[in-house]
Amino acid sequence: MGNANGHIRNDTESTVKIYSFNYADAYRTVPFGTYELGPVETCKVEAAADDRGLIVATGKNQGGRHHHLANGTTLTFSYVQCHGDGNPSHDQAHRAVMGVIDMLGDMGADYSNESMLTANGTYD
């Protein structure tokens, strides 16, 4: 199986930026791909292989609008803007990660940058 993929068509008169994310990426901070489309331009977008497809977004994290793109299909930029959401999974993912970090801290682990620096300013 190759990468998850589909197409985005810019149906506006402006240049737009689209990000693609792996379907399972709840944070959506580091995109799989970044695409800049001129007016009425169409481009192929990709993310890691997933039978469900990928996520396309007009912003990162909770910014912009996020929408599912099924493999082999095409969405317009306007459709993503109108029907996308603000990434509701972000807060749940953040709470889960912070819970793990708190748990590790309770076990005596210290992951602060200051604790990792040695006296000569290098990392252990």
Side-chain angles (χ1 to χ4, degrees):
M1 170 196 263
N3 284 342
N5 68 83
H7 291 84
I8 292 290
R9 183 171 54 87
N10 180 5
D11 58 339
T12 73
E13 296 180 11
S14 303
T15 298
V16 298
K17 188 178 279 190
I18 288 283
Y19 301 97
S20 65
F21 295 95
N22 302 333
Y23 195 88
D25 182 353
Y27 261 127
R28 301 182 194 156
T29 300
V30 179
F32 187 92
T34 302
Y35 310 87
E36 195 165 297
L37 288 79
V40 300
E41 184 179 353
T42 299
C43 78
K44 182 178 181 179
V45 293
E46 295 184 311
D50 194 311
D51 287 342
R52 298 170 292 182
L54 63 147
I55 301 295
V56 292
T58 61
K60 299 177 188 175
N61 300 310
Q62 291 176 294
R65 309 303 289 169
H66 302 243
H67 202 285
H68 168 248
L69 176 63
N71 285 316
T73 62
T74 301
L75 287 178
T76 64
F77 181 81
S78 295
Y79 188 88
V80 174
Q81 285 285 83
C82 290
H83 300 285
D85 60 40
N87 188 16
S89 302
H90 183 273
D91 287 343
Q92 294 169 333
H94 183 72
R95 283 192 298 275
V97 169
M98 295 312 295
V100 170
I101 290 172
D102 286 346
M103 181 184 67
L104 291 172
D106 291 344
M107 294 168 52
D110 187 353
Y111 291 98
S112 66
N113 286 338
E114 293 80 18
S115 69
M116 293 169 48
L117 288 174
T118 63
N120 66 3
T122 61
Y123 286 96
D124 289 337

